[in-house]
Amino acid sequence: MFSWFLVTPLKLMLLGLIAILGVTIVRYSWVAFAGEAERGRFLRALLMTIAAVVLVIVSNHLLLFWAAWVSVSLCLNRLILFYPERPRAQLAAHKKFLLARFSELLLGIAFLLLFTQYDTAIISELVAKAPISGMPLSIAAVLLAIVALIKCAQLPMHGWLIQVVEAPTPVSALLHAGIVNLGGILLLLFAPVLAASPFACWLLVILAGISTTIAGLVSTTRISIKVKLAWSTSSQMGLMLVEIGLGLYEMALLHLFAHSFYKSYSFLNSGNTVNHYLAAKLAGAQKPRVWHWSLALALSLAMLAVAQWQFAVMNSFAATVLVWFALAALIVPSVSRWDMASLPRIGITLAVAAGLLTLYSFAKHHLALLMGLDMALNPIADGVVALLFFSLFALSIALQYWPHVRWVKSLFIWLNAGAYLDEWSTRLTLRLWPSNSLIALQQAQLQINNETKS
């Protein structure tokens, strides 16, 4: 039975992440639910969910892993329906329940295929044998990729993640900072299996890449802080899956950690975020001009050139483009207020950007050594992803600076309606799981969409 559990350096890092997030969210919940009659019920469900996630991480047996995976979803369902009278909470829970059962079926089939391929249910043993390819392995890799796409709420299976904001704030923090990451964790733990199937890798790159682009653009059209964060999570999870599909495992792990801490803080601090947003509006914050963006891009490109010269860690064109745009977004608020008095602030921003780039290069290099995973980069897939990143940046600029152009206005309307991608999911959910309150909610949503189209 001891072989059913395994702790590796990678798993130790993930357990540390879960411990930090778990303690923070439980403490927040204890204070937030003070005086709530059902606080005990909420905390029990919260602790059970965290325990199930821990069991997923330490599992080294296919059956135990699958049982823990199912337990996470069932426990999370209790948290989503903590306020069962809310129609949107019901809709999110029903969508999540149906998608979870489907993905668990696919995961079970994938595990059964891996067992028949290698004649062992011990995960560490079959992962070590993964280079021995075969048809069952290829099918299992594709199924694992589909399970990860569903778990990470990729378009068009994202609606439940957007509507789950009806649940209490700690649920959103736990979900967006931890549970939604399980799709990426699954692929990292079974990375040799995934790498043995080029089709599975391309499936991740294409579907998650498109989801990253569309969800990222939709998030820019949202006013509600929580809904904006939810769309952002779908986009960020897609980006993590793209990195895994390209074989940039250390970058995906670094992304996973950064996103988890950022999203947990963002949701738990969402009330103050609203206040800061309103304060910035009242202060008349200046929007950067196009030439400000050009300057920020030039400065960030120079930093990247120096970093590559010193550390030589950028082995992917798509990853380089992503870091380039991220640095430019960090620098542009400072250079947009260009005057002699702002030079010290600009200098500090550039120093922070250089420090973050150095830290990123250091962490990426050592995570690659720690994980011990290596996969040859596909230059065609790398180019496709880089093109998606350029498209995302260009369309974001167009939405921000040329909103009155006809095609930009049409794009905004389409994005503001969530690209109309969740309607099929709502209809299917109501057909399989009818409810009077949910039907009324669908009719109201259809009326809003029709008004938006007109």
Side-chain angles (χ1 to χ4, degrees):
M1 288 295 295
F2 286 108
S3 63
W4 284 37
F5 302 92
L6 178 67
V7 178
T8 62
L10 171 60
K11 292 186 175 186
L12 275 176
M13 293 179 63
L14 294 172
L15 290 173
L17 173 65
I18 294 169
I20 295 172
L21 295 178
V23 169
T24 303
I25 294 172
V26 169
R27 182 179 180 275
Y28 180 96
S29 303
W30 179 265
V31 176
F33 282 85
E36 177 79 41
E38 296 294 326
R39 181 170 71 171
R41 178 169 65 89
F42 181 85
L43 290 174
R44 284 193 297 271
L46 182 63
L47 291 173
M48 288 173 60
T49 306
I50 296 173
V53 173
V54 170
L55 187 57
V56 168
I57 302 300
V58 300
S59 297
N60 193 40
H61 192 280
L62 294 178
L63 182 59
L64 181 62
F65 189 102
W66 185 85
W69 186 277
V70 175
S71 299
V72 171
S73 177
L74 295 178
C75 293
L76 179 63
N77 191 70
R78 297 179 62 185
L79 291 173
I80 296 175
L81 283 176
F82 184 71
Y83 296 121
E85 70 279 0
R86 296 183 178 181
R88 286 190 178 274
Q90 294 178 30
L91 182 60
H94 292 181
K95 285 183 179 180
K96 179 69 173 67
F97 189 91
L98 294 174
L99 282 172
R101 302 294 81 77
F102 177 63
S103 66
E104 289 155 10
L105 175 63
L106 297 182
L107 184 63
I109 295 173
F111 282 177
L112 184 61
L113 290 171
L114 291 175
F115 177 76
T116 58
Q117 174 81 25
Y118 300 114
D119 197 26
T120 179
I122 303 301
I123 296 175
S124 57
E125 294 180 4
L126 66 87
V127 166
K129 299 177 182 178
I132 305 174
S133 60
M135 182 60 68
L137 175 65
S138 300
I139 298 174
V142 172
L143 292 178
L144 290 177
I146 296 174
V147 170
L149 289 166
I150 296 174
K151 194 70 174 181
C152 291
Q154 296 304 281
L155 275 61
M157 298 166 289
H158 65 291
W160 65 270
L161 185 67
I162 311 303
Q163 287 138 6
V164 84
V165 296
E166 287 291 314
T169 296
V171 178
S172 297
L174 177 67
L175 175 61
H176 290 261
I179 294 176
V180 77
N181 289 317
L182 284 176
I185 293 173
L186 171 70
L187 296 183
L188 289 175
L189 296 178
F190 288 87
V193 175
L194 180 72
S197 173
F199 179 77
C201 294
W202 268 108
L203 187 69
L204 281 177
V205 168
I206 298 300
L207 296 184
I210 294 174
S211 182
T212 298
T213 305
I214 296 177
L217 291 172
V218 171
S219 68
T220 64
T221 68
R222 291 300 180 262
I223 298 176
S224 169
I225 297 297
K226 284 189 175 182
V227 174
K228 181 186 287 286
L229 289 172
W231 278 101
S232 170
T233 294
S234 181
S235 179
Q236 292 294 328
M237 288 298 98
L239 180 56
M240 181 182 65
L241 294 180
V242 167
E243 292 161 351
I244 294 174
L246 290 175
L248 305 173
Y249 302 122
E250 70 284 354
M251 189 173 183
L253 182 61
L254 188 61
H255 190 169
L256 186 152
F257 271 79
H259 178 265
S260 295
F261 287 123
Y262 168 70
K263 277 298 164 65
S264 62
Y265 173 80
S266 296
F267 272 101
L268 297 181
N269 194 50
S270 56
N272 289 332
T273 303
V274 174
N275 294 332
H276 294 159
Y277 174 79
L278 294 176
K281 284 290 187 181
L282 292 174
Q286 182 180 354
K287 184 170 69 173
R289 298 182 181 179
V290 175
W291 74 269
H292 293 142
W293 278 105
S294 301
L295 178 58
L297 287 169
L299 291 172
S300 58
L301 184 61
M303 287 185 182
L304 273 175
V306 174
Q308 183 65 12
W309 172 49
Q310 288 293 325
F311 303 106
V313 294
M314 297 294 181
N315 57 350
S316 164
F317 180 57
T320 304
V321 170
L322 178 63
V323 176
W324 179 29
F325 289 156
L327 286 175
L330 176 65
I331 294 171
V332 74
S334 293
V335 300
S336 64
R337 296 186 292 271
W338 185 277
D339 52 48
M340 294 302 296
S342 66
L343 288 180
R345 183 180 62 250
I346 295 174
I348 293 173
T349 301
L350 292 177
V352 170
L356 289 174
L357 182 58
T358 303
L359 180 62
Y360 164 78
S361 302
F362 178 83
K364 184 174 182 294
H365 172 71
H366 285 82
L367 282 177
L369 297 177
L370 177 68
M371 297 178 68
L373 298 173
D374 190 21
M375 175 180 171
L377 185 68
N378 186 331
I380 299 177
D382 191 43
V384 169
V385 174
L387 183 61
L388 286 173
F389 290 160
F390 275 112
S391 302
L392 176 59
F393 182 79
L395 291 174
S396 298
I397 293 295
L399 288 168
Q400 185 176 0
Y401 292 95
W402 302 289
H404 300 298
V405 177
R406 179 176 297 179
W407 70 268
V408 177
K409 188 182 298 184
S410 300
L411 176 63
F412 178 85
I413 294 173
W414 184 69
L415 294 172
N416 193 49
Y420 306 106
L421 292 174
D422 189 44
E423 294 180 359
W424 73 272
S425 178
T426 301
R427 293 193 185 100
L428 181 61
T429 301
L430 292 176
R431 183 177 300 174
L432 297 176
W433 202 330
S435 168
N436 292 333
S437 59
L438 294 185
I439 292 173
L441 177 64
Q442 184 201 27
Q443 292 174 348
Q445 186 63 47
L446 288 175
Q447 182 179 356
I448 293 173
N449 290 341
N450 292 331
E451 292 175 355
T452 303
K453 291 178 183 179
S454 60

